[in-house]
Amino acid sequence: MKAWACPILPADGVAANSPVNQGRFATTAYERLKILEKYRRIAMVGLSSNPFRPSHFAAIYLRAEGYEVIPVNPRETQVLGMRCYSTLGEAPGPVEVVDIFREPSAAPALVEEAIAVGAKVIWMQLGVIHEEAAERARAAGLEVVMDRCMKIEHARFFGGLSTMGLNTGVITARRIR
């Protein structure tokens, strides 16, 4: 029996052409959906106060969807009205998901910090691919998502892709009446 496929979305979402999808660290849509449903506390590493950065918009979206976002960035003191922490170890309370908005070379050290604080998931954003870091995280019992955006994946599963004009099918600047 052939599995049902959404006629609107590519076979496996936004990052369908990612080399990660052909590797040993590929995650299924179902696995990502379960992570988004189960975990609500996200330490967003590299969260920026610059409203034009993807991390900033992702944080606004995830907070609006009921997630608790903990800013982690040594270059910031406050983001979106919340205190920003220099390291994962400084973040208060348990951290469930470590969402990495940093260059891939930062991933191994962040995975070690995530393991130390008892995180459950390492989520590496679009363009962040580090197989050795992913291997270390999995060996420590963490779930790993690479080369995916939490905001996009959430919107894809829960109907928010039209937020801010994404995937509306409209190719015009004129308001449709």
Side-chain angles (χ1 to χ4, degrees):
M1 177 193 235
K2 187 177 176 186
W4 179 84
C6 178
I8 298 169
L9 294 172
D12 196 27
V14 175
N17 296 326
S18 169
V20 173
N21 287 333
Q22 284 73 48
R24 66 183 193 266
F25 295 106
T27 54
T28 66
Y30 181 74
E31 289 168 327
R32 294 186 303 277
L33 172 62
K34 287 295 153 201
I35 289 169
L36 291 167
E37 288 177 334
K38 184 175 183 179
Y39 302 110
R40 307 303 291 178
R41 281 194 102 227
I42 305 164
M44 200 170 277
V45 180
L47 178 54
S48 174
S49 60
N50 180 343
F52 298 108
R53 301 294 302 162
S55 62
H56 192 87
F57 181 68
I60 290 170
Y61 175 89
L62 291 169
R63 287 181 70 200
E65 292 298 325
Y67 291 88
E68 183 179 353
V69 174
I70 304 161
V72 178
N73 188 335
R75 295 183 186 143
E76 302 279 1
T77 56
Q78 193 174 59
V79 178
L80 297 171
M82 300 176 290
R83 178 179 171 201
C84 194
Y85 301 91
S86 295
T87 66
L88 287 170
E90 291 179 12
V95 171
E96 294 176 322
V97 178
V98 175
D99 190 7
I100 301 175
F101 278 92
R102 296 279 314 277
E103 64 281 353
S105 61
L110 292 170
V111 164
E112 293 303 326
E113 278 190 70
I115 293 167
V117 300
K120 308 297 183 205
V121 179
I122 291 289
W123 191 299
M124 298 183 215
Q125 282 297 319
L126 292 170
V128 182
I129 301 170
H130 199 292
E131 291 204 3
E132 293 81 13
E135 182 72 48
R136 171 71 177 113
R138 283 232 175 120
L142 280 72
E143 295 182 72
V144 177
V145 178
M146 276 197 297
D147 199 23
R148 298 277 180 170
C149 174
M150 275 189 96
K151 184 264 176 238
I152 292 171
E153 291 298 304
H154 184 279
R156 164 174 188 238
F157 293 124
F158 300 102
L161 278 177
S162 64
T163 303
M164 296 298 293
L166 300 175
N167 200 30
T168 63
V170 177
I171 309 175
T172 180
R174 298 168 76 193
R175 175 172 267 155
I176 297 172
R177 298 181 196 265

